[in-house]
Amino acid sequence: MQNDDFLTATSMALRTILHLPDPRLRRQAAPVTEVTPAIRQLIADMAATMYAAPGVGLAAIQVDEPVRVVVIDVSEERNALLVLINPEIIATDGEQTLEEGCLSVPGIYEPVTRAAHVKIRARDRDGAPFELAADGLLATCIQHEIDHLDGRLFVDRLSRLKQGRIRKKLEKQSRLAM
């Protein structure tokens, strides 16, 4: 099923994205044991939420669903939805540093060093297993979203000094929003 077919065949609802310092972002996501209609609905909602935000990736934990589901679309046209259920990195190679941001840490962008190439194993939206090799932005995005499933955020990969500055900036944003 193509992305458009899947998304138009499923009613979609925008989900609320959790923001740091919400402790729910630090939970470990549980494996998906069966791709049910509820999981398919979650995938559709996550895709709609990611596209509306706008972002290039979203983990279920970010919308308060502690299951190992990720949606990613790094295409310019925003028409290449990648669904990863129970993703795991099985190989990495090289190193690259790209600027990262996060829908759960709005307005913060910092360079993060990660593997340049990754090979993953996952299940697709129908539950079929597959492997995927990725590099560049897609490799970074996959690693970023799997971190979310493990209760980590990209800011955890920064120096303590940068983490402190970001915490103060987020606290200030929170006070101004009140």
Side-chain angles (χ1 to χ4, degrees), residues 67 131 136-137 142 152 156:
V67 293
E131 290 186 358
L137 178 59
I142 288 169
R152 280 185 90 174
D156 299 340

Side-chain angles (χ1 to χ4, degrees), residues 142-158:
I142 288 169
Q143 293 169 86
H144 177 113
E145 300 307 332
I146 289 176
D147 272 359
H148 275 299
L149 300 178
D150 295 332
R152 280 185 90 174
L153 285 89
F154 86 97
V155 295
D156 299 340
R157 295 184 172 274
L158 304 175

Side-chain angles (χ1 to χ4, degrees), residues 129-144:
F130 70 96
E131 290 186 358
L132 173 72
D135 58 14
L137 178 59
L138 181 57
T140 291
C141 194
I142 288 169
Q143 293 169 86
H144 177 113

Side-chain angles (χ1 to χ4, degrees), residues 20-97:
L20 194 65
D22 193 310
R24 294 173 290 179
L25 289 166
R26 299 300 185 173
R27 292 177 296 179
Q28 296 280 318
V32 173
T33 56
E34 181 183 358
V35 179
T36 62
I39 292 293
R40 285 191 179 91
Q41 184 63 56
L42 172 62
I43 292 165
D45 291 353
M46 288 173 59
T49 302
M50 176 189 70
Y51 288 130
V56 296
L58 189 66
I61 204 86
Q62 292 177 270
V63 293
D64 199 20
E65 294 286 347
V67 293
R68 297 189 75 80
V69 175
V70 166
V71 295
I72 295 172
D73 189 343
V74 296
S75 70
E76 289 289 325
E77 301 81 17
R78 314 287 284 151
N79 65 354
L81 184 66
L82 175 63
V83 174
L84 305 175
I85 298 173
N86 299 334
E88 60 180 308
I89 296 172
I90 55 176
T92 62
D93 185 44
E95 193 175 272
Q96 68 180 353
T97 301

